[in-house]
Amino acid sequence: LRSCSPGRARRTNASRRACLVARFGDIYAQERLDAETLLRTYISDMEMVQRIIYIAAVESFHAAKMAYRQFKIRVRETLSLGHSGPESLEDTVLDYIVRHEDLYDVQASVNEVIRSMNINPKISFPPEIDFIVISTLIRELCRVAFSMQTLLPPLDIAFGTDGELFSETKYHRSFDSDFTAALVAYHVWPALMENDLVIVKGEAVTKR
């Protein structure tokens, strides 16, 4: 039997979405700049600093989405044993996750992100330093990315590659870009997407 009234997660979807979109913007404005300042004490190359932060964002979303899928499978298996309605099992699972997001093991995701970054060929770090120095940024990105998976539809970041055609709808150009260049040299921050629509523009550097 399906309930006529939607579950708590569905009822709060719009307000949670608004909060998460705002939080994503706050991370760009605050934690990203804090991480940039911190990295500049170890790395003089600004491009490398920005690449590190962008890859941290991409890997954080990837790790959080994987963790969410595993978490949802465990919750569904547990709740299906005694589920009888009136809500659908999917709605019940979603309500449970929204109410118990504190059970998300964010530290495991942070560790996974740092592991992935350590073997990424596009970024390098002085050997005496560890990517753990930007773990605050990574942790906040993982939290917001995990919560974004509970939305209907979920939010995600755009896939970006070096050398792609610059998209005015997806990105702002960084101030140090060549504004006549058509191709992205590298990305500074990912665009936030809902299905195939850009919700928040990212940032990219264009160069000839």
Side-chain angles (χ1 to χ4, degrees):
L1 288 172
R2 284 185 176 274
S3 170
C4 294
S5 63
R8 182 174 179 273
R10 289 181 185 275
R11 288 197 309 273
T12 61
N13 194 71
S15 59
R16 289 186 298 110
R17 180 187 180 280
C19 287
L20 289 167
V21 170
R23 181 69 190 116
F24 185 75
D26 290 343
I27 293 172
Y28 170 78
Q30 188 61 56
E31 281 89 347
R32 177 186 70 92
L33 293 179
D34 292 344
E36 199 174 273
T37 302
L38 196 57
L39 289 173
R40 287 304 299 272
T41 62
Y42 306 109
I43 303 168
S44 58
D45 180 7
M46 188 59 174
E47 179 180 329
M48 183 56 69
V49 166
Q50 291 180 324
R51 281 182 180 275
I52 287 169
I53 290 171
Y54 176 75
I55 287 168
V58 171
E59 292 293 348
S60 294
F61 266 78
H62 179 70
K65 286 190 296 180
M66 290 289 289
Y68 178 80
R69 281 198 283 272
Q70 291 160 3
F71 189 74
K72 189 176 182 181
I73 287 166
R74 289 198 302 273
V75 171
R76 189 189 289 116
E77 284 174 352
T78 303
L79 295 183
S80 66
L81 299 174
H83 179 72
S84 58
E87 288 183 357
S88 69
L89 178 59
E90 280 304 301
D91 278 358
T92 305
V93 168
L94 195 58
D95 285 354
Y96 180 92
I97 296 171
V98 168
R99 281 199 305 271
H100 298 91
E101 281 186 52
D102 56 315
L103 296 178
Y104 166 42
D105 185 357
V106 68
Q107 188 56 48
S109 288
V110 172
N111 296 342
E112 184 58 41
V113 171
I114 291 169
R115 260 198 305 275
S116 297
M117 291 177 72
N118 280 330
I119 57 170
N120 192 304
K122 284 190 178 178
I123 51 177
S124 58
F125 216 37
E128 68 276 10
I129 310 302
D130 193 282
F131 287 120
I132 202 162
V133 296
I134 58 166
S135 59
T136 300
L137 170 70
I138 295 168
R139 180 174 285 103
E140 292 309 305
L141 282 164
C142 285
R143 277 192 216 280
V144 81
F146 184 91
S147 296
M148 282 176 174
Q149 304 315 299
T150 68
L151 298 174
L152 299 161
L155 300 184
D156 200 358
I157 52 172
F159 178 73
T161 56
D162 292 352
E164 70 179 331
L165 195 64
F166 178 77
S167 167
E168 294 280 358
T169 56
K170 268 190 192 174
Y171 301 105
H172 297 289
R173 289 181 206 258
S174 289
F175 71 93
D176 55 345
S177 290
D178 176 345
F179 279 71
T180 63
L183 301 180
V184 171
Y186 63 94
H187 298 79
V188 175
W189 194 250
L192 189 65
M193 310 287 288
E194 185 177 67
N195 291 330
D196 293 325
L197 296 174
V198 178
I199 303 300
V200 181
K201 281 187 180 186
E203 187 180 337
V205 176
T206 54
K207 287 196 171 104
R208 285 191 179 279

